[in-house]
Amino acid sequence: MIPLLNKPFEALSGTVGSSPDELKIIFSFLLSYPLAGLLKRIPDAKPAYKNIFIIGTSLFYLVGLFDLWVGLRTIAISSVGTYCLAKYLRRSPYMPWLGFLFLMTHMSISHIQRQIHNDPSVVDITGAQMVLLMKLSAFCWNVADGQIAEDQLSDFQKERSLKELPSLLDYTAYVMFFPSLLAGPAFDYVDYQRWIDTTMFDVPAGIDPSKKPPSRKKRRIPRSGTPALFKAITGLVWVGLFVNLAGSFSHEVLTSDSYMQKGFFSRVFFMYAAGVVARLKYYGVWSLTEGACILAGLGYNGIDPVTGKVSWNRLQNIDPIAVETAQNPRAYLGGWNMNTNHWLRNYVYLRVTPRGKKPGFRASMITFATSALWHGFYPGYYLSFILASLIQTAAKNFRRHVRPFFLDANTGAPSKNKKYYDFASFFVTQVTFGFATMPFLVLSFKGSLLAWSRVYFYALVWTVASLAFFASPGKAVLKKQLEKRQGKAQAKLVRSVSTDSLTGGHPILGISKDPERDITEAMEEIRTEVEALQKKKSS
């Protein structure tokens, strides 16, 4: 740590009421903007200079700003270990699994150490390591895919496969990419490779060259100042809202005696508001880091062939509007931590599924376990994940057996009463997840149950009641009414756009789209295996 640099943060911390490390983290995010601007101005023909600049800046952040020598060692162990596995076991089918196991074990040790120290005001390396695990486990799979014949790969695998290992300089810069080092977003090595060699900015065939986005001088990276500035301002607004509201809606109140002085509805509202305010911090951090990536050019995601408008959402990690206005669990979870969703789908869920088969119960359960372990070992995480799975099942039943009553039986278009269903769905989703996500803030098992008990477990009660109803004859009654309604219309219900948007079968943040189906598949699989064993014994 540079002593002279630390003194201003210590002096300011007493004034604003935040720890020096909390001030430093925001400072590092803001400092990444001018540094990203400098990075972009290094000549495209000098990629080695860019790599060295990236590595030097990250070393300054880790050691000069935060004194994270232990964190630097942690990053070195994960990245060197992964590179060695990829190099010396490149052709082994077990290499990506060994890489994942190595990285997850290493990160679990960090999670346990952080949980023991239990000081959220101090910046440690765990957050950066969570991002690094996604990057490096994906790197292992990309290298493994590069050793397989292309006719056995999906389009996604072909696009991201690595037939040769990158140089150590390129790899180190990828690991240490400073705009996303401490808080993400994560991205694949191929994205970094195409950014550093500027092939990312090639104009696709069939697009009018006049639509090529403007750039300065001899740089191929398009002008990105405006979208980066927008993200920076947005991020600062989110952070400002968090700073102003955090004192009024602290999750610590939920386990304090003063909480019970409020009425029931006031307690429910406070729990919901505490969750919203806690999310503001993440909206701010992820918007700021994404903006720095955009300014460096890595957020580039192609151009519209008609309008020539540049898209900068390659590394988008959060959609606050989607989360806060979600009308169902899948939309709620789909707008949150989007890069983790991407990693879980492409590098866990689809990878544990044998080639040529559809993902099933095992894939869903392994993805669920991976997501939970990736977050850490606080009991609150697991309470939230388990309850979210139940909520997802209940919501699926409502979507299948109640929502069609608010659609036109002939066309599937919304009826005049659909707005009431939409509002009810929005209200229930938001209030339910306000309850379900609270253990993510309280963390402890005892504290989470205490906070839930003070609102009489309302979301758990109506979730279980919904599941009980749809497991009862009531479900058959609804089905009969729907069939009767369809028969009168002499038409088959057309699937609506909003339902189509939910048909991706992969889990979101490890939470299965259809836990009920997964359990049925598991029971069928167990029954089949038992029968096979019985036949084997009898023969």
Side-chain angles (χ1 to χ4, degrees):
M1 182 188 300
I2 301 173
L4 288 176
L5 189 60
N6 191 51
K7 287 182 180 180
F9 295 105
E10 290 181 339
L12 189 59
S13 66
T15 304
V16 300
S18 298
S19 71
D21 274 7
E22 289 171 333
L23 296 175
K24 286 179 187 177
I25 195 77
I26 298 299
F27 171 75
S28 70
F29 295 152
L30 296 176
L31 182 60
S32 290
Y33 280 80
L35 292 177
L38 291 175
L39 173 63
K40 187 166 67 171
R41 282 159 176 77
I42 296 175
D44 293 340
K46 303 287 186 180
Y49 291 2
K50 290 189 176 185
N51 286 331
I52 292 169
F53 183 85
I54 289 167
I55 296 168
T57 301
S58 289
L59 288 174
F60 165 72
Y61 282 173
L62 291 171
V63 177
L65 194 59
F66 291 103
D67 200 29
L68 284 174
W69 288 99
V70 174
L72 181 61
R73 182 187 67 191
T74 298
I75 291 174
I77 291 171
S78 286
S79 55
V80 172
T82 300
Y83 193 87
C84 289
L85 285 170
K87 181 175 182 179
Y88 296 110
L89 298 177
R90 189 185 337 180
R91 302 191 185 282
S92 169
Y94 302 109
M95 183 273 287
W97 299 110
L98 290 172
F100 175 80
L101 182 62
F102 163 67
L103 291 164
M104 186 63 81
T105 302
H106 189 204
M107 190 185 69
S108 295
I109 294 170
S110 297
H111 273 314
I112 293 169
Q113 291 174 337
R114 177 174 177 266
Q115 196 164 332
I116 291 171
H117 291 129
N118 196 28
D119 188 355
S121 66
V122 175
V123 171
D124 68 358
I125 202 62
T126 311
Q129 196 176 2
M130 292 170 72
V131 176
L132 188 61
L133 183 146
M134 290 191 285
K135 292 170 70 172
L136 295 185
S137 63
F139 176 80
C140 287
W141 280 111
N142 298 151
V143 172
D145 289 340
Q147 317 311 308
I148 300 174
E150 288 199 357
D151 59 358
Q152 298 182 44
L153 301 176
S154 66
D155 291 340
F156 176 87
Q157 290 173 297
K158 290 177 188 175
E159 181 188 8
R160 297 183 174 271
S161 65
L162 296 172
K163 299 188 181 300
E164 299 293 337
L165 285 178
S167 70
L168 282 173
L169 182 62
D170 284 348
Y171 176 78
T172 305
Y174 165 66
V175 168
M176 302 284 277
F177 189 70
F178 68 85
S180 66
L181 175 69
L182 298 173
F187 51 91
D188 292 347
Y189 179 78
V190 167
D191 292 322
Y192 182 80
Q193 183 183 56
R194 292 172 181 167
W195 172 78
I196 199 73
D197 65 17
T198 70
T199 55
M200 177 185 286
F201 310 106
D202 291 343
V203 178
I207 293 182
D208 187 348
S210 65
K211 301 291 185 183
K212 181 180 177 181
S215 59
R216 291 184 182 275
K217 298 181 180 179
K218 296 182 179 180
R219 287 203 309 269
R220 299 197 66 204
I221 301 175
R223 296 178 184 178
S224 55
T226 300
L229 179 62
F230 176 78
K231 283 292 179 181
I233 293 172
T234 303
L236 288 173
V237 169
W238 292 126
V239 170
L241 287 172
F242 171 74
V243 170
N244 280 281
L245 296 174
S248 300
F249 295 99
S250 171
H251 68 271
E252 295 177 357
V253 173
L254 299 171
T255 53
S256 69
D257 294 337
S258 63
Y259 187 53
M260 290 305 293
Q261 295 174 6
K262 303 175 186 292
F264 171 72
F265 291 108
S266 294
R267 294 199 298 274
V268 170
F269 172 77
F270 189 94
M271 180 174 282
Y272 163 74
V276 173
V277 171
R279 288 194 292 276
L280 294 176
K281 175 175 65 176
Y282 293 95
Y283 295 159
V285 166
W286 285 334
S287 295
L288 287 172
T289 55
E290 184 191 353
C293 291
I294 289 172
L295 189 59
L298 194 57
Y300 179 81
N301 202 23
I303 59 175
D304 187 298
V306 177
T307 64
K309 185 179 179 180
V310 178
S311 177
W312 291 100
N313 63 351
R314 179 183 295 272
L315 301 182
Q316 182 180 0
N317 200 38
I318 192 70
D319 187 344
I321 303 302
V323 173
E324 303 303 338
T325 62
Q327 297 177 21
N328 56 72
R330 199 158 174 86
Y332 186 100
L333 297 171
W336 178 261
N337 212 347
M338 295 157 72
N339 285 296
T340 301
N341 279 325
H342 166 91
W343 171 69
L344 287 169
R345 178 182 187 273
N346 292 299
Y347 297 111
V348 180
Y349 181 69
L350 295 177
R351 300 294 180 161
V352 299
T353 305
R355 188 178 291 111
K357 293 188 176 181
K358 290 184 177 181
F361 167 74
R362 290 183 181 180
S364 295
M365 287 305 299
I366 292 172
T367 306
F368 178 90
T370 299
S371 181
L373 288 173
W374 180 80
H375 281 88
F377 297 100
Y378 283 105
Y381 297 157
Y382 297 85
L383 289 174
S384 289
F385 273 110
I386 292 169
L387 180 54
S389 294
L390 298 178
I391 294 168
Q392 179 79 311
T393 303
K396 178 209 68 175
N397 282 309
F398 274 99
R399 198 161 58 242
R400 289 182 180 176
H401 304 298
V402 176
R403 186 173 181 270
F405 286 105
F406 297 88
L407 303 175
D408 186 278
N410 288 303
T411 65
S415 68
K416 63 179 181 180
N417 293 324
K418 177 67 162 45
K419 57 181 177 288
Y420 302 115
Y421 176 86
D422 290 342
F423 177 78
S425 298
F426 160 75
F427 178 80
V428 172
T429 297
Q430 296 298 325
V431 174
T432 300
F433 271 94
F435 176 93
T437 58
M438 194 44 55
F440 251 79
L441 303 177
V442 177
L443 298 178
S444 70
F445 182 79
K446 183 178 179 181
S448 297
L449 292 184
L450 176 62
W452 277 356
S453 68
R454 288 177 165 183
V455 288
Y456 308 119
F457 298 95
Y458 71 86
L460 179 61
V461 169
W462 70 40
T463 298
V464 172
S466 299
L467 293 174
F469 173 79
F470 286 109
S472 73
K475 182 176 179 179
V477 172
L478 283 178
K479 276 187 173 182
K480 192 171 182 179
Q481 289 297 318
L482 277 176
E483 289 170 358
K484 184 178 178 181
R485 184 171 179 265
Q486 300 299 110
K488 285 183 178 180
Q490 296 183 344
K492 185 179 180 181
L493 185 65
V494 178
R495 180 174 288 172
S496 68
V497 175
S498 59
T499 306
D500 280 341
S501 68
L502 303 172
T503 54
H506 63 280
I508 298 291
L509 289 178
I511 298 169
S512 174
K513 177 186 178 182
D514 195 344
E516 188 177 20
R517 183 201 64 192
D518 289 340
I519 293 171
T520 302
E521 286 183 1
M523 298 304 295
E524 181 64 27
E525 191 174 316
I526 292 170
R527 186 184 66 80
T528 303
E529 289 181 1
V530 169
E531 289 177 353
L533 284 172
Q534 289 174 341
K535 286 181 181 179
K536 188 175 181 180
K537 286 181 180 179
S538 61
S539 61

